[in-house]
Amino acid sequence: MNANDDGPGARHALSKFERAPPALVALAMLFVLVLPSCSGHVCNDMQAGKAEIDISAISSAIDAYAVEKGGRYPDSLERLVTPDESNNVFLKGYTHVPLDPWKNPYVYEPPADGRGYRVYSLGKDGQPGGWGQNADIESADVSRTAR
């Protein structure tokens, strides 16, 4: 091995980075560079925006899972990042389910009693309900604003 050879471990790490969606990489870089220095209303909007992006990605992965599995929905978000029997992973670019911008887990409720699934963040306070930065961010709201 010469001094310029990074070895197989470095190539493996690079290939994981190369497989990440470019928009996800750009967004992650933005949050690493900007979030530590932001404050007030702008920061709150950025955090809510990141939650909306995550919820949209998770919802798309849930929909893809249901299509692949003949209409069955995952029983947990972890199913989206765990390879299935065909080695499919549905939440592309993630090795684990992301946390919301306030470091709380996203909540997933599978479809039941004639209603669709729900994915949501409980906001900054991690409690149901709330206003402003403590408001819940729901998949139904995200899909309405995406139209």
Side-chain angles (χ1 to χ4, degrees):
M1 194 181 312
N2 65 38
N4 294 327
D5 188 2
D6 292 330
R11 180 67 188 139
H12 180 70
L14 181 60
S15 66
K16 285 182 180 180
F17 179 76
E18 290 171 337
R19 287 192 304 255
L24 179 63
V25 172
L27 182 64
M29 289 172 52
L30 173 71
F31 283 108
V32 166
L33 296 173
V34 176
L35 275 183
S37 64
C38 73
S39 62
H41 186 65
V42 172
C43 188
N44 295 337
D45 287 349
M46 289 177 65
Q47 289 171 316
K50 183 195 180 305
E52 290 176 1
I53 290 168
D54 285 349
I55 289 170
S56 180
I58 292 167
S59 295
S60 293
I62 291 169
D63 294 339
Y65 182 100
V67 167
E68 181 73 23
K69 303 297 180 182
R72 287 190 339 249
Y73 285 84
D75 56 1
S76 71
L77 294 179
E78 285 71 29
R79 292 257 190 231
L80 302 175
V81 295
T82 304
D84 68 5
E85 62 279 351
S86 301
N87 210 29
N88 293 326
V89 175
F90 295 91
L91 191 54
K92 306 287 187 209
Y94 292 91
T95 57
H96 61 280
V97 178
L99 297 175
D100 73 11
W102 303 279
K103 306 296 183 220
N104 298 311
Y106 287 102
V107 181
Y108 169 62
E109 296 175 6
D113 302 323
R115 66 159 177 76
Y117 67 83
R118 290 176 65 203
V119 178
Y120 55 98
S121 164
L122 293 171
K124 183 177 182 177
D125 64 358
Q127 301 296 316
W131 298 96
Q133 62 186 344
N134 294 328
D136 298 350
I137 302 171
E138 298 263 350
S139 53
D141 298 333
V142 170
S143 67
R144 276 195 288 271
T145 59
R147 291 182 190 145

